[in-house]
Every structure is written in C-alpha cells, then in structure tokens.
Amino acid sequence: MKTVLITGANKSIGFETARQLLQQGYYVYLGCRDMQKGQQAVSQLQSAGLNQVEPIEIDVDDLDSIKAAREVLGQKTNVLDVLINNAGIIGSMQQTPLDTDISVFKQVFETNFFGVINVTQAFIDLLRLSPEPRIVNVTSGLGSLTLHSDPSWKYYQVKAACYVSSKAALNAYTIVLAYDLRDTAFKVNAVDPGYTATDFNNHTGPGTVPDAAARVVKAAVLGPDGLTGQFFSDDNAPETGISPW
Ligand code: NAP
C-alpha cells in the first residue's frame, strides 16, 4: 500500500485530496497543525468507511514541529511514496507592493515557500526509499510570471503582492527540485487546484473542492511515464493543462 503525507489536510482541498487518495487505496498521513482538528477530519473519513488514515501534527511554519513529524512518521513507516505540500495561506486581503508591511510578506513566505522547503528536506530521505516517489507542490495559477505580464489574462489585475510572489517562488523551487532529482524515479510538479470555494477566499471561488483535489491527485498518482518539472493548471491552460511559468 502506498503512503502519502498531505500538509494542511484537516479541511478544504487538502482534506478532499486525502479522501480521494484513500478511495484509490493509499494510506494517508493527514497533516494538521491542530491535532483536535486533524482527529475530527480522520473521524469523518473513517465514518465514511475510509480507515487507512491517521493524523500527523505538523505546523509547516515551525521547524521543530516538522522535525517531530518526521520522527513520528519514521516510527510508523519505512517509506513515504508521496508528499503533497498543500498547506498555504493568502495573508491579508489588501496586498499592494509598496504599502504592505514586510511582516505580511514574511508570514506568507514562511508558510507557502520556506515551509515547503523545510518539509521537503525533512522527508526526502523517506521519499528516496520509494520506488516511485512523487512530490506535489500545491501552487496557484497566480504564480505564473508569464501570465502576470499579459494584460489580456483574466487574472491580470489580481496582483496580491505577497501571495503572488510566494507562489512564483514556490514554482521556481519546484523547477530546481525537479532538476536536482531528474535522474531518479521522482516526479516533482507544481499543481494549481484552480480558483476554488474554500475558507481561503471566503468561498468566493467558482471551482469546487472535489475538482480542485482531483487536479492534485492526478499529479500524486503519476505513473513512471508521467511528466516531471511541470506547472499543471487547467485554469491557466484549459487545452494542454500545462501553464507557462
Ligand atoms: P484553506 O481552506 O485555507 O485550508 C488551508 C489548510 O492549510 C488548512 O488545513 C490550514 O490549517 C492549513 N495550514 C495553514 N497554515 C498552516 C501551517 N503553518 N502549517 C500547517 N497547516 C497550515 O485553503 P485551500 O483553499 O484548501 O488551499 C489549499 C492550497 O491550495 C493552498 O496552498 C492554496 O494556496 C492553494 N490554492 C487555493 C486556491 C483556492 O481558490 N482555494 C487557488 C489556488 C491555490 P488550519 O485549519 O489549522 O488553519
């Protein structure tokens, strides 16, 4: 049975990703920064008959928490097949490049960028023991620098300075990570789940959580012939599914 760790999986897209991977027979370590919320999420899945799941406490802003999670996971499994870096924050709603306090930039980068790097570095040894390791970085269509330079793009005016910058940085990290692991069985990709109604945006997104999670799952279950080093986005590129960076 393949194993997967999903950060920020106690609700929304991460939770639904857990559900869909459980339905595909994966064993899910459901990452949560609050064990009570994680346990509630696990109980919900178990009451639907999805039992191969347990919560793992992991706050991606806190290196000690990440290291503790690595220790705990190492006592439960010898190998991790899939890491899904899903936990993310948007920061405050008004994010202008000149007036937003640097503390907001730092907070958003802490979770969306440095958190992903810390988690990936902490779990890479367990992933290397998988015959088909997969890393999925949940990014945003808003992380595309190419599209942010195109005035005809439908989200051209959504210039949320901290969030956009953090996801563009995450995309860059995905590219260099995929390059570093290019001669291995790893598939490392960035996935935009699409603008989706969740707590993240006060449920304003037009997309549904099951559709968003399905996009993440697709990259998590890639076979040996699957692509690596890609930016998957059905929103940005409805025909090819591959977004410009
Ligand atoms: P959400 O409803 O706000 O859920 C975010 C999840 O991340 C929650 O479980 C939250 O835990 C967790 N989290 C936040 N900070 C964390 C931290 N420091 N450590 C561990 N967990 C943390 O967001 P969502 O809409 O599901 O978004 C999931 C991912 O998709 C994010 O990376 C987001 O950037 C990306 N995305 C979303 C959309 C969209 O329209 N929704 C579009 C593009 C990309 P708590 O419950 O404890 O707060």
Side-chain angles (χ1 to χ4, degrees):
M1 187 185 303
K2 285 193 171 179
T3 53
V4 53
L5 170 65
I6 308 168
T7 62
N10 53 283
K11 69 176 185 181
S12 305
I13 297 170
F15 176 73
E16 179 61 22
T17 301
R19 184 205 304 277
Q20 292 184 16
L21 285 170
L22 282 162
Q23 286 168 337
Q24 293 202 32
Y26 282 71
Y27 192 98
V28 174
Y29 295 101
L30 185 147
C32 53
R33 56 180 165 177
D34 176 333
M35 270 306 250
Q36 207 177 339
K37 288 185 191 170
Q39 194 56 62
Q40 277 171 4
V42 164
S43 299
Q44 200 179 326
L45 292 165
Q46 288 174 339
S47 63
L50 299 166
N51 293 308
Q52 309 291 345
V53 54
E54 59 185 291
I56 292 281
E57 186 171 351
I58 179 166
D59 181 339
V60 307
D61 292 356
D62 178 352
L63 189 54
D64 287 341
S65 167
I66 294 168
K67 286 180 176 169
R70 167 65 187 83
E71 281 303 307
V72 170
L73 202 77
Q75 289 159 13
K76 294 173 183 290
T77 180
N78 294 326
V79 51
L80 182 63
D81 295 291
V82 184
L83 170 64
I84 301 180
N85 287 305
N86 167 76
I89 58 169
I90 193 155
S92 57
M93 288 316 263
Q94 292 298 321
Q95 293 183 14
T96 57
L98 295 177
D99 296 325
T100 305
D101 194 87
I102 193 68
S103 62
V104 182
F105 278 89
K106 286 183 176 175
Q107 181 56 54
V108 174
F109 267 75
E110 194 61 49
T111 307
N112 296 359
F113 182 60
F114 297 117
V116 172
I117 298 170
N118 278 331
V119 171
T120 304
Q121 290 183 348
F123 288 91
I124 196 72
D125 58 342
L126 280 182
L127 287 159
R128 284 186 195 278
L129 297 173
S130 167
E132 295 186 341
R134 306 288 177 256
I135 298 175
V136 182
N137 292 333
V138 181
T139 183
S140 165
L142 297 176
S144 170
L145 297 179
T146 305
L147 294 175
H148 266 299
S149 311
D150 175 0
S152 70
W153 184 42
K154 65 177 172 176
Y155 297 127
Y156 179 69
Q157 290 174 10
V158 187
K159 295 275 193 281
C162 314
Y163 184 69
V164 165
S165 308
S166 74
K167 291 296 190 181
L170 175 61
N171 286 353
Y173 180 68
T174 306
I175 288 181
V176 296
L177 181 62
Y179 178 79
D180 200 47
L181 296 168
R182 67 195 176 285
D183 294 326
T184 70
F186 271 85
K187 308 288 181 198
V188 180
N189 291 295
V191 176
D192 165 27
Y195 186 19
T196 307
T198 68
D199 291 348
F200 192 81
N201 47 38
N202 297 320
H203 296 260
T204 54
T208 69
V209 169
D211 285 350
R215 294 172 184 185
V216 176
V217 166
K218 207 164 143 190
V221 304
L222 281 176
D225 295 333
L227 295 170
T228 189
Q230 302 297 318
F231 179 4
F232 296 121
S233 173
D234 291 346
D235 273 17
N236 284 356
E239 286 177 15
T240 63
I242 295 178
S243 174
W245 292 102

